[in-house]
């Protein structure tokens, strides 16, 4: 076999660079031989197979044709001729394909933070590498980064517009003005405006001749409402008389130890409104209070509304507010289908039994009637007694849902709804706000958390320390001082204050707020009379409220009996009271008991 070569009549290759899509033809003139040599094209050391790459053709003259040049076609090409005698290769021909840059696909948009009020921009990028420009090709045209604003999804609470001017006097002899919840409108789960949107007043000037009868004829809903209120008022008077007679009969049987206070039989409502809850049994007085067996209460509603419930006739178009025992129910306009009576019940007694790891931190609040249809969200604000402990107590609002709140895992029973907690700096009082879409019963329940540092409970609760006093006899020479400890809740305070006053006790000083920690220690109460002519008749001046009772709604009273042993013109019995839990800081309370004068 003789040498073969690339034809010199057509340069090989014809130019240094080829453009993408251009036709390329490489010529090969093999040596003559016998048998005739077989031609093979090789690129960068690898044999080319036109059957696998449809962009390549080897014609009858053994020329290699690239139909449309690609960047991948760049490389060194060799023509190989071989037969049984031997093989020869042509000099390498270098082909370079000029390639313009092409953008890659855009990346995904960067994530926007959830419920953020900050102005943040999301972005995405791309690269000029699909392919990148080669051999003098053009760079990609356009931007490699795009940005856009993230949606502002922070909650926006509604705000009232200005009141409109008072309207002309209507045929019903009233004037009204209105305002709207549009400055701003509530968005992204923000609160509705609190209060009413329409106010009405009677017309002034004596121009109205409307009578009560004609007013009721024109307003059948008002007539029905007045009739209902009248019936309920008369019923309440009858029930009140029965209750007073029963209380008078029971007063003679009461001992120094206060029994469980049944406030409007709230326990009768737990099973109806909170399925699966159990109220404490009161069937046997011989059973220990700390070992009572749970009892499923009747689902029948009690007819005794007592002192723990209010009812209000709500005009559907106007809405309204109900405030009772520190609880607020806000009803926006057009939230109910029709004008009707709505009830708000606040239970300040012990409440339903809970698992041992949970503590009831608020009153049980019941909104009725059960048949009430709600079209707009109602806002229910319930006070609770979580205390921040040693942390700085500042005014702020936080939205939480079954999460950590000053060492507590808080949750709503029976519905695990999200809640908003508002802390009021001046009163050490927290308020949980719930968004209601149906009637029922709700309470705030907490599970104490363990401190990771001390391996002890990091949970604290705010309690009231109340000081009462009463005469033991008519001489005024013996006095009983009663120290009461209860949750810092208006409903529980009202219940204890009412019970003490019915037992002829009177408060000796304003209620004091004290922080108790979840620990294996009770609350020590020490009493010392400041007047030298008075002394205690008991063996000790220090008593303790057990730890188990500190985490109930209220504890049994701590009682001190004092006796006068001298004569003094001082009209007051001055008292120094020391309250302390474990090694925590003590609280000193000064109280004065007014003595009867001869």
């Amino acid at each position: 076999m003789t040498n073969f070569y690339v034809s010199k009549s057509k340069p090989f290759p014809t130019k240094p660079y080829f453009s993408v899509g251009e036709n390329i033809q490489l010529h090969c003139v093999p040596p003559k031989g016998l048998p005739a040599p077989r031609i093979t094209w090789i690129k960068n050391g690898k044999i080319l197979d036109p059957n696998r790459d449809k962009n390549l053709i080897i014609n009858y003259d053994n020329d290699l044709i690239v139909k449309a040049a690609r960047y991948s076609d760049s490389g060194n090409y060799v023509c190989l001729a071989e037969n049984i005698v031997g093989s020869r290769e042509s000099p390498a021909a270098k082909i370079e394909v000029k390639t313009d840059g092409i953008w890659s696909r855009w990346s995904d948009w960067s994530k926007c933070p959830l419920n953020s009020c900050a102005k943040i921009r999301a972005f995405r990028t791309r690269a000029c590498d699909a392919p990148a420009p080669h051999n003098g090709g053009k760079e990609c045209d356009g931007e490699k980064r795009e940005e856009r604003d993230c949606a502002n999804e922070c909650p926006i609470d509604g705000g009232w517009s200005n009141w409109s001017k008072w309207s002309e006097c209507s045929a019903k002899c009233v004037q009204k003005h209105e305002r709207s919840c549009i400055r701003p409108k509530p968005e992204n789960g923000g609160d509705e405006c609190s209060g009413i949107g329409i106010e009405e007043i009677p017309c002034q000037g004596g121009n109205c001749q409307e009578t009560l009868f004609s007013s009721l004829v024109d307003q059948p809903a008002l007539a029905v409402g007045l009739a209902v209120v009248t019936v309920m008022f008369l019923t309440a008077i009858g029930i009140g008389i029965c209750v007073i007679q029963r209380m008078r009969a029971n007063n003679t049987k009461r001992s120094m130890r206060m029994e469980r206070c049944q406030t409007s039989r709230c326990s009768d409502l737990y099973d109806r409104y909170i399925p699966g809850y159990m109220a404490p049994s009161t069937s046997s007085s011989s059973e220990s209070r700390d070992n009572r067996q749970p009892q499923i209460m009747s689902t029948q509603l009690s007819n005794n509304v007592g002192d723990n419930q209010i009812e209000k006739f709500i005009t559907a178009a106007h809405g309204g507010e109900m405030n009772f025992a520190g609880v607020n129910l806000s009803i926006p306009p057009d939230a109910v289908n029709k004008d009707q009576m709505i009830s708000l019940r606040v239970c300040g007694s012990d409440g339903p039994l809970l698992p041992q790891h949970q503590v009831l931190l608020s009153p049980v609040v019941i909104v009725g009637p059960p048949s009430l249809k709600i079209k707009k969200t109602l806002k229910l604000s319930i006070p609770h007694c979580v205390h921040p402990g040693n942390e700085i107590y500042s005014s702020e609002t936080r939205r939480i849902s079954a999460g950590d709140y000053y060492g507590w895992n808080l949750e709503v029973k029976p519905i695990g709804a999200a809640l908003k907690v508002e802390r009021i700096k001046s009163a050490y009082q927290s308020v949980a706000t719930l968004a209601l879409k149906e009637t029922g019963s709700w309470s705030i329940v907490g599970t104490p958390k363990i401190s990771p540092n001390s391996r002890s409970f990091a949970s604290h609760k705010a309690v009231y320390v109340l000081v009462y006093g009463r005469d033991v006899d008519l001489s005024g020479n013996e006095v009983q001082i009663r120290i009461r400890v209860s949750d810092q809740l208006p409903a529980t305070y009202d219940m204890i204050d009412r019970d003490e006053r019915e037992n002829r006790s009177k408060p000796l000083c304003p209620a004091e707020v004290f922080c108790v920690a979840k620990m294996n220690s009770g609350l020590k109460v020490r009493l010392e009379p400041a007047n030298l002519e008075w002394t205690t008749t008991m063996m000790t001046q220090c008593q303790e409220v057990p730890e188990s009772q500190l985490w109930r709604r209220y504890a049994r009273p701590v009682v001190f009996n004092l006796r006068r042993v001298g004569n003094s013109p001082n009209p007051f019995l001055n008292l120094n009271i020391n309250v302390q839990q474990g090694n925590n800081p003590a609280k000193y309370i000064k109280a004065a008991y007014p003595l009867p004068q001869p």
Side-chain angles (χ1 to χ4, degrees), residues 168-175 201-211 214:
E168 297 293 333
C169 188
S170 68
K172 297 180 180 179
C173 200
V174 294
Q175 290 178 290
I201 60 174
C203 293
Q204 304 296 323
N207 296 323
C208 298
Q209 302 298 324
E210 183 181 30
T211 64
S214 61

Side-chain angles (χ1 to χ4, degrees), residues 343-413:
S343 64
L344 175 64
R345 179 168 292 185
V346 182
C347 302
S349 56
D350 273 347
L353 290 181
L354 296 172
Q356 292 184 355
H357 66 279
Q358 288 188 329
V359 177
L360 189 63
L361 296 171
S362 77
V364 177
V365 179
I366 303 168
V367 179
S371 59
L372 180 67
K373 301 299 182 183
I374 300 176
K375 297 189 296 183
K376 289 184 179 179
T377 301
L378 311 185
K379 186 169 75 171
L380 179 65
S381 297
I382 307 175
H384 66 83
C385 53
V386 172
H387 195 285
N390 295 325
E391 298 190 32
I392 298 176
Y393 205 91
S394 61
S395 176
E396 68 173 42
T397 298
R398 297 199 297 177
R399 292 177 182 270
I400 64 173
S401 54
D404 182 21
Y405 183 73
Y406 288 116
W408 292 89
N409 277 324
L410 293 189
E411 58 182 299
V412 183
K413 293 288 188 180

Side-chain angles (χ1 to χ4, degrees), residues 467 481 506-509 571-576 590-595:
V467 183
I481 305 300
K506 48 192 171 186
L508 304 186
C509 62
F572 293 96
L573 167 57
N574 297 310
L575 304 169
N576 295 324
K590 291 185 178 295
Y593 183 84
L595 299 172

Side-chain angles (χ1 to χ4, degrees), residues 292-321:
R292 290 177 295 193
Q293 297 298 319
Q295 173 184 357
I296 300 295
M297 301 305 293
S298 169
T299 60
Q300 181 178 2
L301 284 171
S302 170
N303 293 323
N304 178 20
V305 297
D307 297 323
N308 72 331
Q309 172 174 293
I310 62 169
E311 293 181 317
K312 186 174 182 179
F313 188 78
I314 298 297
T315 304
H318 298 173
E321 287 193 359

Side-chain angles (χ1 to χ4, degrees), residues 251-460:
N251 278 342
T252 58
K253 300 179 181 180
R254 291 193 178 186
S255 64
M256 298 299 182
R257 181 177 179 182
M258 186 186 75
E259 296 299 328
R260 175 179 173 82
C261 177
Q262 293 291 343
T263 307
S264 298
R265 295 179 60 82
C266 285
S267 57
D268 288 349
L269 302 175
Y270 294 144
D271 191 52
R272 181 184 181 97
Y273 286 98
I274 311 180
Y277 268 40
M278 294 175 291
S281 170
T282 57
S283 59
S284 175
S285 59
S286 62
E287 292 179 334
S288 170
R289 285 180 176 268
D290 297 329
N291 297 289
R292 290 177 295 193
Q293 297 298 319
Q295 173 184 357
I296 300 295
M297 301 305 293
S298 169
T299 60
Q300 181 178 2
L301 284 171
S302 170
N303 293 323
N304 178 20
V305 297
D307 297 323
N308 72 331
Q309 172 174 293
I310 62 169
E311 293 181 317
K312 186 174 182 179
F313 188 78
I314 298 297
T315 304
H318 298 173
E321 287 193 359
M322 301 178 69
N323 295 280
F324 184 62
V327 177
N328 175 269
L329 176 64
S330 179
I331 304 165
D334 298 319
V336 294
N337 287 327
K338 58 183 179 179
D339 301 349
Q340 68 177 77
M341 193 73 67
I342 297 179
S343 64
L344 175 64
R345 179 168 292 185
V346 182
C347 302
S349 56
D350 273 347
L353 290 181
L354 296 172
Q356 292 184 355
H357 66 279
Q358 288 188 329
V359 177
L360 189 63
L361 296 171
S362 77
V364 177
V365 179
I366 303 168
V367 179
S371 59
L372 180 67
K373 301 299 182 183
I374 300 176
K375 297 189 296 183
K376 289 184 179 179
T377 301
L378 311 185
K379 186 169 75 171
L380 179 65
S381 297
I382 307 175
H384 66 83
C385 53
V386 172
H387 195 285
N390 295 325
E391 298 190 32
I392 298 176
Y393 205 91
S394 61
S395 176
E396 68 173 42
T397 298
R398 297 199 297 177
R399 292 177 182 270
I400 64 173
S401 54
D404 182 21
Y405 183 73
Y406 288 116
W408 292 89
N409 277 324
L410 293 189
E411 58 182 299
V412 183
K413 293 288 188 180
I415 303 173
L419 61 149
K420 175 181 174 183
V421 177
E422 300 176 295
R423 297 183 298 158
I424 304 173
K425 180 179 179 182
S426 61
Y428 283 96
Q429 182 69 68
S430 297
V431 177
T433 302
L434 309 182
L436 306 187
K437 295 184 178 179
E438 59 184 353
T439 59
S441 176
W442 293 271
S443 59
I444 308 302
V445 173
T447 301
K449 296 190 69 177
I450 300 293
S451 172
N453 299 325
S454 61
R455 294 186 179 179
S456 63
F457 287 104
S459 307
H460 298 79

